[in-house]
Amino acid sequence: MNQTTVREYIEAVRAGDVNVAEFIAEVMEKSRKIQERYSPFITLSEKPAAKPTKRGMIPGLPISVKDCLCTNGMRTTAGSKILGDYMPPFDATCVKKAKAEGGIIIGKTAMDEFGFGTFTTNCAYGVPKNPHDPERSCGGSSGGAGCITAAADFPHVAIAESTGGSITAPAAFTGTVGLTPTYGRVSRYGLIDYANSLDKIGVISKSVYDSALMLSVMSGHDPLDSTSSDKASEDFTKFEGKDVKGMRLGIPKEYMSEGVDARIRRALMAQADRLAALGAKISEVSLPMTEYALPSYYLIAISEASTNLARYCGLRYGMQGEMAGMDSDRYFSKVRTDGFGDEAKRRILLGTYARMAGFRDAYYLKALRVRTKIINEFKAAFKSLDALIAPSMPVLPPRLSDIKELTPIETYNMDILTIGPNMAGIPTLSVPMGKAEGLPMGMQIIADHFDEGKLIAIGSSLEVIG
Amino acid sequence: MKDYGKIDRKLMDHICLIARLDLSDAEKDRYAKELSAVLDAFRVIEKVDTNEEPSFHPIPITDRVRDDSVKPTDWNPLGNAKAKENGYFKGPKIM
């Protein structure tokens, strides 16, 4: 049962060929060993399979959940010390749906504090190590999700989340599949917000089918999230293996610049050749607004983040200190200063500044206008193209020791290829595209809003031909 | 756009006050330097000619309202609070 695919496992559970309780006990034992070796989890489940079922879309399937998503009665920290003992009294909608369809939560995965990072190194609870080379990063901020997906030798799917590339980066660095759906496709209810207008809940998995299946489980309108789309959920697995013949695919030249590792660019062109051999029509396109995506993204993200993080003040939940002898301002400042890590403080300060009277128009509102131009540019491209293909990340997974030497702006620049689509809220699928020096590389497929089906068709066609 | 992106000590003190972060002098100096470098790099967006409306969301979002009705709840709102008294959250002294 260990090397079985998700699809085979679910069939076996439905047929009654698996003792789910025993299998999950085995999975938990393995997860503990993986935890000792690579640290993908912040919290492991204690009693994961209380009531296994044969019904639903994912009966008995082991699911890991990024730690920014609320799980009823299970510690949820968002990777921050300030939420160190937070026990949500409810499940996030995506978690609720996964459980209702038979999924079994095995643990909460490691992440950069509140999602603030590209390498899952801004962590209050341990840094996950890349199973392909433990001295290197898993990518971030959903690094734990990429780590457990790569390390698990059992059927499993990770629920992850992306604000500016937090699914694509770990998928590329760990050689896994990462699906970032259209903004609003999956309810954000129960997500500990980073940036409300950018956050998207998605999947990291071993295969495109697994991601498509999990999107089918999680998507659909939710009255509890006012930004969730009206689109009903559908069976996204039906797009797997759909013919890509005649599809028009563009390679944005700005995503293939000198700043992208030459080995990664070569691998991308080899993937393009494979797609052309399957009958897709490949062309080069230009997205000149790419240059402005990164600064405008960060200005929007930090402005929203600093507002969201204002709620952590040592009252009601999360870190709480001694109040005696302190006035409210001193108390709030003390808890926040003790509870937030370095990058969280940096982003709070930056965001506070960008929203201050006198600067708001120049930074925050200007960035929102640039976003309109970026969205329009993608929309114009999709009038004549079915999808875009590009490298997922500009570099191979870096060494954890090298990451420490990067300045904040050098770190932010690592997001250069993922920011544009995330700003525009359009869906992307990162699929493995071979290795260089034994390290995985990823290709991202980018489509128009709500065109996840095309991503699944294109991504799965590459799996078939290897 | 002069003075934008320049964070001196006085401005840093003000930002820390608004953000409710109690930083040491050395931390304030370090963050001020880092923030100035980041904002300087971000100034590139000034070059973009923007007559467009701002996109507060990536897809059109319409306001949705629900009935403001009382519904039963099966969880304890005080469950995560350490400071509480007589069924209320307890906070620090305001005045």
Side-chain angles (χ1 to χ4, degrees):
Chain A
M1 193 50 65
N2 289 338
Q3 294 296 340
T4 3
T5 64
V6 165
R7 188 184 338 223
E8 290 164 347
Y9 172 75
I10 289 170
E11 280 167 15
V13 170
R14 283 188 184 133
D17 295 339
V18 184
N19 180 327
V20 173
E22 276 177 21
F23 178 73
I24 293 295
E26 197 184 314
V27 162
M28 292 314 299
E29 189 49 40
K30 287 181 170 194
S31 296
R32 278 187 279 275
K33 285 188 178 143
I34 293 170
Q35 176 68 0
E36 280 170 25
R37 209 162 163 196
Y38 302 118
S39 306
F41 293 104
I42 292 176
T43 307
L44 275 159
S45 297
E46 282 170 18
K47 287 181 185 166
K51 292 177 200 161
T53 171
K54 286 183 196 175
R55 287 190 294 275
M57 292 162 80
I58 46 170
L61 183 65
I63 305 282
S64 65
V65 179
K66 188 174 177 179
D67 206 29
C68 54
L69 289 158
C70 288
T71 40
N72 193 359
M74 190 173 179
R75 187 170 78 127
T76 298
T77 72
S80 181
K81 212 164 82 172
I82 210 159
L83 284 172
D85 56 3
Y86 176 52
M87 287 286 185
F90 68 102
D91 279 324
T93 296
C94 61
V95 172
K96 195 174 175 181
K97 285 186 171 187
K99 285 182 179 174
E101 294 296 335
I104 293 170
I105 310 301
I106 60 167
K108 305 297 294 290
T109 52
M111 57 183 288
D112 289 289
E113 183 175 9
F114 292 107
F116 300 155
T118 307
F119 303 115
T120 317
T121 47
N122 300 325
C123 303
Y125 306 98
V127 174
K129 300 180 185 91
N130 195 321
H132 295 270
D133 176 352
E135 288 186 7
R136 292 177 188 266
S137 163
C138 290
S141 64
S142 310
C147 180
I148 184 61
T149 306
D153 65 351
F154 48 82
H156 153 267
V157 171
I159 302 180
E161 178 275 338
S162 172
T163 306
S166 290
I167 290 175
T168 302
F173 284 175
T174 61
T176 54
V177 172
L179 175 61
T180 307
T182 307
Y183 178 83
R185 175 73 98 171
V186 176
S187 166
R188 290 185 297 108
Y189 180 72
L191 168 70
I192 296 171
D193 301 305
Y194 166 176
N196 308 46
S197 83
L198 293 156
D199 295 341
K200 298 154 292 273
I201 294 162
V203 193
I204 293 183
S205 64
K206 274 210 160 67
S207 75
V208 174
Y209 174 87
D210 302 351
S211 278
L213 177 64
M214 203 59 204
L215 180 63
S216 312
V217 169
M218 298 194 299
S219 61
H221 178 64
D222 179 9
L224 297 174
D225 171 8
S226 64
T227 61
S228 98
S229 150
D230 284 333
K231 299 227 185 258
S233 184
E234 57 180 300
D235 176 11
F236 290 97
T237 62
K238 70 183 180 211
F239 296 101
E240 190 209 20
K242 218 173 159 194
D243 203 353
V244 298
K245 196 174 172 185
M247 273 199 182
R248 300 151 304 167
L249 307 179
I251 303 175
K253 66 176 186 184
E254 292 79 5
Y255 288 56
M256 294 287 276
S257 70
E258 291 288 311
V260 178
D261 189 306
R263 294 164 293 188
I264 294 174
R265 279 184 277 146
R266 276 199 299 276
L268 194 276
M269 292 317 292
Q271 292 289 74
D273 288 346
R274 289 189 191 119
L275 287 163
L278 292 171
K281 292 172 188 157
I282 316 283
S283 60
E284 187 187 83
V285 294
S286 179
L287 301 171
M289 287 304 293
T290 300
E291 183 188 350
Y292 307 107
L294 192 104
S296 46
Y297 162 81
Y298 270 97
L299 287 165
I300 296 168
I302 56 171
S303 298
E304 294 186 14
S306 61
T307 313
N308 281 322
L309 266 53
R311 68 174 65 115
Y312 303 106
C313 60
L315 295 177
R316 295 175 290 140
Y317 55 86
M319 187 188 268
Q320 292 157 68
E322 183 52 57
M323 293 172 184
M326 288 220 211
D327 67 22
S328 55
D329 277 350
R330 237 181 95 206
Y331 175 73
F332 297 153
S333 298
K334 179 161 177 25
V335 171
R336 290 165 62 77
T337 307
D338 291 346
F340 290 130
D342 180 50
E343 183 60 25
K345 284 176 186 152
R346 186 175 294 111
R347 294 198 191 196
I348 290 170
L349 295 169
L350 266 170
T352 304
Y353 173 75
R355 288 182 297 107
M356 270 167 64
F359 302 117
R360 187 173 174 269
D361 286 4
Y363 288 114
Y364 178 58
L365 279 177
K366 178 79 179 177
L368 291 173
R369 292 182 205 280
V370 174
R371 165 144 83 175
T372 306
K373 285 184 103 93
I374 290 167
I375 295 169
N376 292 346
E377 190 170 83
F378 277 117
K379 286 281 182 195
F382 292 128
K383 277 187 183 156
S384 58
L385 293 170
D386 289 295
L388 298 161
I389 56 170
S392 295
M393 291 299 283
V395 295
L396 296 172
R399 285 180 191 282
L400 294 166
S401 55
D402 291 341
I403 291 167
K404 289 182 186 145
E405 307 300 319
L406 295 173
T407 64
I409 198 75
E410 284 169 338
T411 306
Y412 300 165
N413 275 327
M414 292 291 171
D415 300 339
I416 195 83
L417 302 177
T418 56
I419 287 295
N422 274 277
M423 279 273 280
I426 51 179
T428 68
L429 181 71
S430 182
V431 291
M433 61 169 187
K435 289 182 174 180
E437 293 181 23
L439 299 168
M441 297 180 285
M443 172 182 106
Q444 58 173 329
I445 312 158
I446 306 161
D448 201 356
H449 291 133
F450 301 105
D451 259 352
E452 284 87 348
K454 284 180 183 169
L455 303 179
I456 291 158
I458 298 163
S460 60
S461 75
L462 289 165
E463 281 180 319
V464 173
I465 55 171
Chain B
M1 301 292 281
K2 73 180 169 62
D3 292 340
Y4 283 9
K6 281 200 179 138
I7 300 182
D8 59 20
R9 184 50 191 273
K10 198 177 154 199
L11 182 54
M12 195 66 193
D13 286 342
H14 186 57
I15 297 168
C16 287
L17 178 72
I18 299 174
R20 301 291 188 275
L21 288 174
D22 186 15
L23 304 180
S24 68
D25 287 350
E27 285 173 319
K28 280 181 185 169
D29 288 344
R30 177 169 65 86
Y31 281 123
K33 207 171 140 191
E34 288 172 356
L35 265 51
S36 295
V38 170
L39 292 166
D40 199 42
F42 286 178
R43 286 184 68 160
V44 68
I45 64 166
E46 288 171 18
K47 289 198 289 180
V48 188
D49 183 20
T50 46
N51 297 315
E52 290 77 5
E53 288 296 310
S55 288
F56 288 93
H57 289 93
I59 54 173
I61 301 279
T62 45
D63 285 340
R64 290 200 180 93
V65 290
R66 58 173 167 73
D67 291 338
D68 187 17
S69 56
V70 179
K71 287 179 186 150
T73 177
D74 58 357
W75 58 279
N76 173 16
L78 293 160
N80 275 282
K82 290 192 181 81
K84 49 195 163 185
E85 210 171 280
N86 302 328
Y88 291 96
F89 294 112
K90 195 175 169 186
K93 212 168 111 181
I94 304 287
M95 292 173 71

